[in-house]
Amino acid sequence: QVRLTESGGGLVQAGGSLRLSCAHSGSISNTNSMGWYRQVPGKERELVAVITRAGAPTYVDSVEGRFTISRDNAENTVYLQLNSLKPEDTAVYYCNADHVSLDHTSTIYWGQGTQVSVTS
């Protein structure tokens, strides 16, 4: 069983920055990819950024150039640096891992979420 623990959310003014962390209870080297999603009440959870095992990042258009996803294999942690924050970035941010087991099956795991609130 994989556990993902997010941290780093908070309240910030527009234009500010936050750094989210997602600690994987095992080894992130056993994941196909890890990503960050966000959700606001009444809307579906949306992909924000994903990073592959090889370290290749992909971003949703609305955060391109402002957010940066990175991974530290030694710390088994994935980060999301949020810069130039806007009120519309307010959401609960969830970490996601596409974990590959020893039998090569893929399982998706989610963290508990961390709140990011941006005031204008």
Side-chain angles (χ1 to χ4, degrees), residues 51-69:
I51 188 165
T52 66
R53 183 184 304 179
T58 302
Y59 302 94
V60 67
D61 287 347
S62 60
V63 308
E64 183 80 52
R66 299 189 298 121
F67 292 6
T68 302
I69 188 170

Side-chain angles (χ1 to χ4, degrees), residues 22 48 69-70 80 85:
C22 173
V48 175
I69 188 170
S70 61
L80 186 67
L85 281 161

Side-chain angles (χ1 to χ4, degrees), residues 3-119:
R3 185 172 66 252
L4 302 176
T5 305
E6 299 111 330
S7 61
L11 177 66
V12 64
Q13 288 187 332
S17 298
L18 287 172
R19 188 193 195 200
L20 307 183
S21 300
C22 173
H24 188 293
S25 62
S27 173
I28 63 173
S29 296
N30 294 331
T31 62
N32 287 323
S33 65
M34 292 190 68
W36 287 94
Y37 289 69
R38 64 187 180 187
Q39 188 171 24
V40 297
K43 293 190 176 181
E44 292 189 358
R45 193 171 295 186
E46 67 166 351
L47 174 67
V48 175
V50 65
I51 188 165
T52 66
R53 183 184 304 179
T58 302
Y59 302 94
V60 67
D61 287 347
S62 60
V63 308
E64 183 80 52
R66 299 189 298 121
F67 292 6
T68 302
I69 188 170
S70 61
R71 57 190 291 157
D72 185 331
N73 291 340
E75 295 294 328
N76 293 310
T77 300
V78 172
Y79 301 97
L80 186 67
Q81 179 69 40
L82 294 70
N83 296 330
S84 301
L85 281 161
K86 304 176 181 180
E88 51 264 42
D89 295 319
T90 296
V92 178
Y93 283 69
Y94 296 91
C95 179
N96 159 286
D98 179 3
H99 183 83
V100 181
S101 301
L102 292 175
D103 61 359
H104 305 293
T105 59
S106 175
T107 305
I108 301 298
Y109 292 94
W110 292 93
Q112 81 286 353
T114 185
Q115 176 72 46
V116 171
S117 299
V118 185
T119 60

